[in-house]
Amino acid sequence: MTPPSFTILRDGDPVPPALRGGVVAIGNFDGVHRGHQAVLRRLKEMAEARGVAALALTFEPHPRTFFRPEAPLFRLTPPDVKAELFAAFGLDGVAEVTFDAGLAGLPAAEFVDRILVERLGVRGAVVGHDFHFGKGRSGSPDVLTALGRERGFDVEIVAPAGEGETVWSASSAREALAEGRVDAAARTLGYRWFVRGEVVHGEKRGRDLGFPTANIRLAPEAGLRHGVYAVRMRVGDDVFDGAASFGRRPQFDNGAPLLEVYLLDVNPDLYGETVEVEFVAFIRPELRFDSVDDLVARMNVDVAETRRLLAEATEADASGKSDPVLDLVR
C-alpha cells in the first residue's frame, strides 16, 4: 500500500497546495525500471534543490492500449503497483492523466498549458530522451524544453541508461519474462518482478496430488512464459517460499492460464486473500507427462530445486551480491 503521505491525483481531483509548483517526471513508467529510476533520481535532485514536491505524471490506460486495443499490452505494473513503486522511490505523489481521444488529439503546446502550467503549476520537468507527447507525437524533449523556456519552467532530458550495450526498457523486461528469464527481467527492473492478485478456488487437483496450491488469475494479457518457477509469496507481513506453475495445465484441461503456488512447509487458508508473488528463478517449461504419477515425481524434483534456488537467492541477497531491489515483497 502507498503511505498516507503519498498522493494519487486523478482527473478532477483538486491539487493540494503542497504539490503545486513542484517538479514532474513525465512518462508511462510501466515497470518503473532502472531506466525510469534514472529519471526519478534526477527528478528528486531537482525537487530537493528547489525545496518543492517531486511528482510523476503518467497516463492511464497506457497509450498503446488506446491506439491498439486489438493488441493488449503486457503491463508490468498495474496502476496501484506503479504508484507504490513511486512511493518506495521517495516521490510525493503521482498525477494519473486519463489517456483518451481528447488527450490524444491535444496539441503539444496545449498539453503543456493545460496540465503542466494551469493544473500543476510546475517549476520543472524531467523526461527521458525518447519521450514524445501531444497530437501525432509532435512534442519531443526539445519541443518541451522550448515550451518550458517560454512558460517559465526548466526541463531536464535524461540520457538512456543501461549496462554495456544493453539499454534498460520496459520492452526488454517484457521480452525476458516472455522467455522465462526472470533473472534478466530483475536486472532491468532493479527488483524482482511480482504480481498481485486474489487467491481463488481451483479444481483442487493439487490437493489431491499432495501439493495444495493457492491460485491467482493474472491479467489475460500477462506475457509470462508458461512454466514452473521458484517464488516467494507475501501475505500481509508474512513471506513464504513456494514453487509456482503458470500455464494451462496440459496434463488435465488446457484451460485458461492460471498461477498456482505451492507453499513449502505451510498450508494456510488463503482463499479471498490478496497476495503478492515474486518470481525468483525459472525451473522448467510447462510439460505434459505420460502419467499423473510421472507428474508427481517431477513435482517432487521441482520442489527440491525450488528449495535450492531460494536458498541461493537468500544467500545472495544477504551478501549484497544480488541486484538492488525496491523491496516490496522480499
Side-chain angles (χ1 to χ4, degrees):
M1 296 178 62
T2 56
S5 58
F6 185 86
T7 301
I8 300 176
L9 294 173
R10 297 185 175 89
D11 293 350
D13 289 344
V15 180
L19 298 186
R20 277 192 61 83
V23 180
V24 298
I26 314 171
N28 295 315
F29 296 111
D30 187 32
V32 195
H33 56 69
R34 293 169 75 178
H36 294 145
Q37 291 168 33
V39 174
L40 299 181
R41 276 193 294 274
R42 185 61 192 128
L43 165 70
K44 289 181 63 179
E45 291 169 356
M46 290 178 65
E48 289 169 4
R50 292 163 173 77
V52 298
L55 297 171
L57 191 156
T58 189
F59 308 97
E60 292 295 339
H62 193 289
R64 155 82 178 272
T65 302
F66 173 82
F67 287 115
R68 297 183 59 192
E70 78 288 352
L73 179 68
F74 173 18
R75 292 285 298 268
L76 299 169
T77 44
D80 60 332
V81 172
K82 192 161 60 172
E84 290 177 22
L85 291 169
F86 287 143
F89 210 79
L91 272 57
D92 298 297
V94 57
E96 293 181 358
V97 178
T98 300
F99 198 95
D100 54 16
L103 189 69
L106 207 60
E110 197 167 346
F111 172 89
V112 168
D113 289 337
R114 285 192 188 182
I115 298 174
L116 301 187
V117 177
E118 296 172 14
R119 178 162 168 71
L120 299 175
V122 302
R123 294 180 57 185
V126 187
V127 296
H129 69 288
D130 56 353
F131 173 69
H132 284 77
F133 65 105
K135 183 177 180 180
R137 292 172 53 86
S138 59
S140 65
D142 289 340
V143 167
L144 181 62
T145 300
L147 290 169
R149 190 179 301 116
E150 293 173 3
R151 273 94 171 144
F153 63 87
D154 299 327
V155 175
E156 292 263 353
I157 303 169
V158 178
E163 290 177 316
E165 297 181 358
T166 301
V167 175
W168 295 315
S169 68
S171 60
S172 64
R174 292 186 195 104
E175 290 168 5
L177 292 171
E179 296 169 357
R181 296 184 296 114
V182 294
D183 52 344
R187 286 194 295 274
T188 294
L189 295 170
Y191 60 91
R192 294 191 183 99
W193 186 66
F194 64 96
V195 297
R196 176 181 296 159
E198 180 182 339
V199 177
V200 299
H201 288 275
E203 298 296 327
K204 308 295 191 296
R205 292 194 188 98
R207 181 177 300 174
D208 294 339
L209 298 175
F211 296 89
T213 60
N215 305 319
I216 302 103
R217 298 192 187 284
L218 305 189
E221 62 272 17
L224 178 68
R225 182 182 182 182
H226 292 183
V228 176
Y229 295 84
V231 303
R232 294 190 180 107
M233 176 187 283
R234 178 175 177 177
V235 186
D237 294 329
D238 297 320
V239 178
F240 305 104
D241 289 347
S245 173
F246 177 62
R248 296 183 178 276
R249 304 161 304 284
Q251 195 76 29
F252 299 104
D253 60 8
N254 261 332
L258 184 69
L259 178 64
E260 302 171 281
V261 184
Y262 169 66
L263 299 179
L264 309 186
D265 308 318
V266 296
N267 185 24
D269 182 1
L270 298 176
Y271 291 121
E273 295 278 355
T274 296
V275 302
E276 291 174 357
V277 180
E278 176 192 59
F279 292 83
V280 178
F282 179 77
I283 295 176
R284 64 169 174 85
E286 187 174 44
L287 301 170
R288 190 181 191 286
F289 295 86
D290 291 337
S291 69
V292 171
D293 286 344
D294 287 344
L295 168 63
V296 171
R298 183 53 192 261
M299 290 168 73
N300 280 301
V301 173
D302 295 337
V303 168
E305 180 68 356
T306 293
R307 292 185 188 278
R308 183 186 71 80
L309 290 167
L310 291 178
E312 288 182 357
T314 298
E315 182 179 353
D317 293 342
S319 68
K321 294 179 182 178
S322 60
D323 287 315
V325 296
L326 292 179
D327 201 21
L328 290 184
V329 176
R330 186 167 52 79

